[in-house]
Amino acid sequence: MSFAAEVKAELCRGKIARKCCAQAEACGVLLYCNRFSLGEVRIVTESAAFAQRLPGLFHKAFGLRFDEKGDPEGPGKRIFSITDRDKLALLWELCAFDPSGPAHHINFGLLEETHCRLSFLRGAFLAGGSVTDPQKGYHLELATTHLRVSRELEVLLLELGYSPKQTVRKANYITYFKQSEAIEDLLTAIGAPVCAMELMNAKAEKFLRNDVNRRVNCEAANVDKTVDAALEQRRAIQILQEKGVLEDLSPKLQEAARLRQAHPELSLSQLAALCDPPVTKSSLSHRLRKLIQLSGEP
């Protein structure tokens, strides 16, 4: 089961408590379903949980039954439709009311309470929403074919404290989120806290994995730098030996050369601790740089 399917299954486990919330959720479904016109309502879903919820939702909200009802237990897509004119007139009046003509709008009169607004969002997501697997990325969107509905949804979300983005894809108007925190908050608010927690856990695992990789890469880079520096230092010391001038250097420089030759694998800090007496990392680094300068290495 995909993550989006998990979210829809969790959303459908919540009970339909109030009639006002049932109407709000059903209106969200209608405005974000496959077709909602004066001639037909057509809802197509692959979610078995959503297919099981739809008949009870519409009966509680409007006292209506679907003229065609998909089998929730059947495989593939389930189709729910209403073509009866009296039923459609009722749905149009409640969920897409526009006194100026047959245009789709969100009926804000049904969404005065916050719980009804969240129910509307739940219905919209069940019918026209999707969310990316958090292991792959963060993206939640709601798609409708109605421009005004999309614009009014943005207003509704802004009033609830969210900051969505808008785009157009083919014939669909998309309201979407890319921020993981906003997606977590929205899923929790509309009734999918378990999936929201799954998203949080996936984000934490991804952060930990990236942090470990960053540390490993950093340590590997430091090892490479240490090896390269040690090779340069040993090459300089060998040149000084071949010139016969190493014995003429100060005791501190001779000690630094002797320790580097004997311990090519050690870091500066480790090498500095072997000096007699021990010196700081910066002091030993200065001595080794002096050896390189005296050797004439670039």
Side-chain angles (χ1 to χ4, degrees):
M1 182 184 294
S2 68
F3 183 69
E6 290 180 18
V7 172
K8 292 185 179 182
E10 184 179 0
L11 291 176
C12 290
R13 286 196 287 270
K15 293 183 178 180
I16 308 169
R18 302 181 179 94
K19 182 176 181 178
C20 61
C21 289
Q23 289 183 339
E25 182 177 330
C27 285
V29 170
L30 289 168
L31 292 173
Y32 277 80
C33 70
N34 299 77
R35 185 178 303 157
F36 179 29
S37 68
L38 291 171
E40 181 187 18
V41 165
R42 184 179 178 85
I43 305 168
V44 182
T45 181
E46 293 183 354
S47 170
F50 184 34
Q52 290 176 343
R53 185 179 182 85
L54 272 171
L57 175 66
F58 272 67
H59 186 265
K60 187 175 183 67
F62 313 117
L64 299 181
R65 299 187 185 278
F66 288 98
D67 298 329
E68 180 185 345
K69 183 171 65 174
D71 180 7
E73 303 302 327
K77 295 181 178 180
R78 293 89 168 172
I79 299 175
F80 296 79
S81 67
I82 297 175
T83 54
D84 181 272
R85 289 189 176 183
D86 292 335
K87 295 178 183 178
L88 289 170
L90 174 63
L91 295 177
W92 189 265
E93 180 180 357
L94 285 175
C95 296
F97 175 74
D98 182 4
S100 63
H104 295 78
H105 284 277
I106 295 176
N107 185 355
F108 283 93
L110 293 177
L111 309 181
E112 294 183 355
E113 300 293 336
T114 299
H115 52 78
C116 292
R117 294 184 171 198
L118 296 176
S119 296
F120 176 87
L121 293 174
R122 179 168 57 249
F125 183 86
L126 287 170
S130 64
V131 60
T132 303
D133 186 331
Q135 297 291 348
K136 300 178 181 178
Y138 308 119
H139 182 88
L140 182 148
E141 70 177 40
L142 300 163
T144 180
T145 56
H146 314 303
L147 174 59
R148 292 181 182 178
V149 171
S150 180
R151 290 177 174 174
E152 290 164 357
L153 180 71
E154 182 180 17
V155 173
L156 176 63
L157 287 166
L158 289 171
E159 289 180 354
L160 288 170
Y162 299 96
S163 299
K165 295 183 178 180
Q166 298 276 350
T167 190
V168 180
R169 188 186 305 131
K170 296 182 180 180
N172 291 316
Y173 301 95
I174 312 295
T175 303
Y176 69 96
F177 295 91
K178 286 287 190 182
Q179 302 84 8
S180 59
E181 294 81 3
I183 297 173
E184 293 162 9
D185 292 345
L186 184 60
L187 290 180
T188 300
I190 65 177
V194 174
C195 288
M197 184 61 68
E198 186 176 336
L199 193 154
M200 295 178 200
N201 290 338
K203 183 172 66 174
E205 290 175 7
K206 190 181 298 183
F207 175 83
L208 180 61
R209 191 181 305 114
N210 291 340
D211 186 58
V212 170
N213 289 337
R214 187 164 53 250
R215 289 174 181 270
V216 169
N217 292 337
C218 183
E219 289 177 4
N222 287 337
V223 169
D224 290 342
K225 288 173 61 178
T226 299
V227 171
D228 291 342
L231 288 173
E232 183 183 17
Q233 294 155 7
R234 294 188 71 201
R235 185 166 56 249
I237 293 168
Q238 185 176 0
I239 291 173
L240 291 173
Q241 286 177 327
E242 292 174 353
K243 291 181 177 179
V245 298
L246 186 61
E247 294 77 8
D248 298 331
L249 300 180
S250 68
K252 291 181 179 180
L253 292 180
Q254 289 187 43
E255 181 186 40
R258 176 177 54 78
L259 288 174
R260 174 47 80 199
Q261 289 287 74
H263 305 284
E265 77 286 355
L266 295 186
S267 67
L268 282 178
S269 298
Q270 294 170 322
L271 210 60
L274 295 179
C275 292
D276 185 19
V279 298
T280 64
K281 175 181 174 180
S282 61
S283 294
L284 182 62
S285 176
H286 175 74
R287 295 176 188 179
L288 291 170
R289 284 199 303 272
K290 185 67 174 178
L291 291 172
I292 294 174
Q293 293 174 359
L294 292 171
S295 72
E297 280 288 281

